[in-house]
Amino acid sequence: MKKLFLFLIAATFSVAAFAQTKWTTDPMHSFVNFSVKHSGISLVNGSFKKFNGEFTSDKADFTDAKVSFTVEVASVSTSVEMRDNHLKTDDFFNAEKYPKMTFESTSMKKLKGNEYELNGKLTIRDVTKDVTFKVTYGGEVKDQRGNVKVGFAATTTINRLDYNIKYDPTGTGVAKDVDITLNLQFVKSK
């Protein structure tokens, strides 16, 4: 009887693990962008060129999704080399000491239609804060090679001062609020 019980427990965990679907970012069709107000009159747009994300989910509507995302800070690009180099210093990201930004989800809630709310922990430099992304599910397709892909757009706004990015603390030259936009395509693991 004891062996049967242990077998049933092992089978239950095996089925649960097997049912979980893993998705990874398709870097050729994904973008991590940001914009911040400059001198109170215009926007500076930028992006990060190197990142890696994945999520797992058992449910078809992704409400149980567990999302993990990493961005390489040194890959920042604003199309101005001098500014990019400044962003990598301790005035901003300190890419040498803190080479990665990370996000780990805590919940994914469906609001209505294709709209979701993704909550999690965002770490920049040595600070981790709760953050909420507004997420729009773009749909699912199968490509010509038979790969299943899904698309999401996610947006949020953070206060850079909350993450020990103390350059221009008044926000006069570089605003405190930074808008983050992720346009992501994920590929289903086979």
Side-chain angles (χ1 to χ4, degrees), residues 24-31 51 53 149 183-187:
T24 56
T25 49
D26 175 356
M28 293 190 332
H29 300 101
S30 297
F31 304 90
F51 51 85
K149 298 182 177 187
N183 294 304
L184 304 172
Q185 190 173 104
F186 291 87
V187 181

Side-chain angles (χ1 to χ4, degrees), residues 20-21 27 31-32 68 74 93 97 108 143 147-148 160 186:
Q20 195 169 60
T21 302
F31 304 90
V32 176
S68 178
F93 293 114
K97 187 172 182 180
M108 177 87 152
D143 70 14
N147 298 308
V148 177
R160 66 180 173 84
F186 291 87

Side-chain angles (χ1 to χ4, degrees), residues 17-167:
F18 181 74
Q20 195 169 60
T21 302
K22 182 177 178 181
W23 302 81
T24 56
T25 49
D26 175 356
M28 293 190 332
H29 300 101
S30 297
F31 304 90
V32 176
N33 303 309
F34 64 90
S35 63
V36 62
K37 210 165 212 184
H38 180 259
S39 298
I41 60 169
S42 63
L43 290 174
V44 170
N45 294 309
S47 63
F48 292 92
K49 302 300 183 188
K50 294 183 181 177
F51 51 85
N52 186 12
E54 65 181 38
F55 74 92
T56 56
S57 180
D58 291 332
K59 297 181 179 180
D61 69 356
F62 306 113
T63 53
D64 65 337
K66 301 290 183 212
V67 181
S68 178
F69 207 85
T70 302
V71 174
E72 292 184 30
V73 174
S75 73
V76 66
S77 175
T78 63
S79 300
V80 176
E81 185 178 0
M82 189 168 70
R83 180 172 45 222
D84 295 347
N85 290 336
H86 189 201
L87 288 171
K88 296 173 193 177
T89 71
D90 194 42
D91 282 346
F92 291 93
F93 293 114
N94 193 342
E96 188 174 320
K97 187 172 182 180
Y98 308 106
K100 297 180 190 274
M101 289 187 286
T102 61
F103 175 81
E104 294 290 334
S105 69
T106 54
S107 70
M108 177 87 152
K109 181 169 55 172
K110 188 168 187 166
L111 302 177
K112 63 178 181 172
N114 288 337
E115 302 298 317
Y116 291 80
E117 181 180 275
L118 176 64
N119 295 292
K121 305 280 186 186
L122 176 63
T123 302
I124 301 174
R125 293 179 58 109
D126 57 344
V127 177
T128 301
K129 293 271 189 189
D130 291 324
V131 65
T132 299
F133 282 88
K134 178 184 172 190
V135 177
T136 302
Y137 173 55
E140 179 180 308
V141 297
K142 188 180 277 192
D143 70 14
Q144 63 273 27
R145 293 188 178 110
N147 298 308
V148 177
K149 298 182 177 187
V150 292
F152 294 92
T155 59
T156 194
T157 300
I158 63 167
N159 181 331
R160 66 180 173 84
L161 300 179
D162 290 345
Y163 294 90
N164 286 336
I165 299 175
K166 302 296 185 190
Y167 182 80

